[in-house]
Amino acid sequence: MDSSRPGRVNVIGEHTDYNDGFVLPMAIDRYTVIAAAPAAKGRNTIQLRSTQGDGTAVIDLGQPLKPAPKGAWVNYPLGVVAGFLARGAKPGGFDAFIDSTVPLGGGLSSSAALEVSTATLLEAVTGDKLDPVEKALLCQKAEHDYAGMPCGIMDQFISVMGKRDHLLLLDCRSRLPEMVPMTDPSVALLITNTNVKHELTGGGYAKRRAQCEEAARVLGVASLRDATAGMLDNARGKLDLVVWRRACHVVSEIERTLQAAQGVRASNWPAVGQLMYASHCSLRDNYEVSCAELDAVVEIAQGIGSGGGVIGCRMTGGGFGGCTVALVRAEALPAISAAISAQYEKRTGIKPSLFVSRPAAGATLIKG
Ligand code: GLA
């Protein structure tokens, strides 16, 4: 049998998920696929082979599971297997082969794609079918406990729930999803991988989470979802300046995300584009998770401007490298791609990778 789950690109709503805010990602047509077959009779191990990372890994189901050393790719499937065992599921031994077209460490959530495809496979192997929210949360827990990355819920939710031709407006507090159609053929989303890799487990992400929690505590709210621009103005002297700037990003980004969803519903692309640029500035200046290479792509895109068919552009994902997402006029795609590619390489000496994706299906492919 095989299972397949997509990566994602976040159109807007960055670093808002762990603040109970809103996010607006879409699944992309880049997938992680796992093919599996039962192990020889009596063998109680899961043998995993991946075309990426360092080859093979074995999970011994006869032993208590514990995380592999930090950075090992096996931690993602391992954490998901542990989640199923904790539910009392009995997977039994099998051999699995993993392949992926989601670039690793590119900010397109290759890790969530691997977790969710492992979970999808285990549902089929064990007959323990999870509801979508439970499944996304089990995968998030795998990432926390086994990969050591204190991520929010966005990546796993979009990998589970992505729907063709739709963005997902997710309320990360109520976990209620709203599918926002995006079918206008005159625009496209162009993803540029800076090919600079980020290290989200490296501490920058966890530190920002802690700063947001501190801001919420000082403001006297349950999370920054409940804070307003007015509250932040009043609290200027009470909060450490860096913490205050982090909170300014989150509060304004939640607002931008809701406005952008409104813009997509109305096909008001110039409004969506402006919100994307504003999101980038806020992530660069207040949240400080951008980097020179991401800024370079956004500046190049801005230089091409609306006259050349670029409507908006921003970094996407956790930051510290990875990808940008640009909203562009579809007819100008070839010229825009060529210009970004050439100018980025000239500025940084690095070859970028560019691709276009329509909102893809998060659909599961399971074949017996
Ligand atoms: C990473 C995390 C997500 C989210 C983004 C930032 O991708 O996995 O939960 O916090 O960063 O928006």
Side-chain angles (χ1 to χ4, degrees):
M1 57 185 76
D2 31 277
S3 99
S4 149
R5 305 305 298 185
R8 62 102 183 92
V9 68
N10 189 18
V11 175
I12 197 163
E14 219 63 86
H15 291 277
T16 50
D17 60 352
Y18 52 83
N19 288 296
D20 283 347
F22 287 87
V23 291
L24 191 64
M26 69 173 200
I28 53 174
D29 44 18
R30 296 275 175 129
Y31 294 88
T32 294
V33 182
I34 310 185
K41 233 189 157 90
R43 207 189 76 211
N44 201 20
T45 59
I46 298 174
Q47 300 206 350
L48 301 166
R49 274 209 302 142
S50 169
T51 54
Q52 295 178 320
D54 45 6
T56 56
V58 177
I59 300 174
D60 185 349
L61 295 168
Q63 301 289 327
L65 300 188
K66 54 176 192 334
K70 207 166 178 163
W73 65 267
V74 71
N75 276 323
Y76 301 110
L78 190 55
V80 175
V81 171
F84 272 78
L85 293 177
R87 293 171 55 85
K90 305 233 173 328
F94 61 86
D95 296 328
F97 186 73
I98 305 165
D99 195 8
S100 184
T101 52
V102 188
L104 286 186
L108 300 176
S109 211
S110 50
S111 51
L114 178 53
E115 289 149 10
V116 177
S117 55
T118 306
T120 306
L121 183 72
L122 286 167
E123 285 179 314
V125 167
T126 62
D128 182 13
K129 185 99 181 81
L130 279 60
D131 83 40
V133 171
E134 250 182 341
K135 184 170 171 179
L137 292 176
L138 184 149
C139 291
Q140 182 201 27
K141 186 166 162 44
E143 185 135 354
H144 286 187
D145 297 352
Y146 277 74
M149 157 66 179
C151 61
I153 62 170
M154 168 171 70
D155 304 344
Q156 291 78 13
F157 270 70
I158 183 63
S159 192
V160 171
M161 295 175 185
K163 194 168 158 204
R164 181 165 299 284
D165 289 334
H166 289 78
L167 307 183
L168 168 68
L169 177 65
L170 181 65
D171 178 338
C172 300
R173 171 168 272 168
S174 67
R175 295 175 185 145
L176 281 180
E178 183 193 329
M179 302 315 298
V180 181
M182 182 167 175
T183 50
D184 184 342
S186 73
V187 292
L189 289 163
L190 174 65
I191 296 156
T192 302
N193 190 342
T194 59
N195 287 328
V196 178
K197 288 199 178 175
H198 62 177
E199 226 3 293
L200 288 183
T201 48
Y205 185 92
K207 192 161 173 197
R208 281 167 184 70
R209 256 196 104 138
Q211 288 166 329
C212 291
E213 279 155 24
E214 187 188 333
R217 195 174 38 77
V218 176
L219 292 170
V221 289
S223 72
L224 287 179
R225 163 75 174 271
D226 304 310
T228 60
M231 282 165 119
L232 284 171
D233 275 348
N234 294 333
R236 220 182 160 132
K238 283 192 240 145
L239 281 168
D240 169 83
L241 185 59
V242 172
V243 171
W244 185 78
R245 284 177 21 234
R246 303 291 188 252
C248 287
H249 164 71
V250 174
V251 170
S252 61
E253 184 79 353
I254 292 174
E255 191 52 41
R256 279 189 291 274
T257 306
L258 290 170
Q259 288 173 9
Q262 197 47 47
V264 173
R265 283 187 206 102
S267 300
N268 184 351
W269 304 120
V272 177
Q274 285 314 308
L275 291 162
M276 291 171 78
Y277 282 132
S279 167
H280 186 78
C281 292
S282 176
L283 287 157
R284 183 191 61 201
D285 302 336
N286 280 337
Y287 220 64
E288 294 178 285
V289 289
S290 188
C291 61
E293 293 83 1
L294 289 166
D295 294 344
V297 179
V298 174
E299 282 162 28
I300 293 163
Q302 220 153 3
I304 298 167
S306 57
V310 177
I311 309 167
C313 185
R314 58 182 289 277
M315 57 155 276
T316 184
F320 309 108
C323 293
T324 62
V325 57
L327 178 66
V328 302
R329 298 273 165 219
E331 83 238 5
L333 260 172
I336 294 169
S337 306
I340 292 180
S341 215
Q343 292 182 44
Y344 176 78
E345 192 175 348
K346 196 161 163 221
R347 261 174 81 159
T348 63
I350 305 164
K351 257 192 197 321
S353 321
L354 287 87
F355 65 96
V356 181
S357 183
R358 291 210 64 75
T364 307
L365 310 173
I366 292 279
K367 289 184 215 131

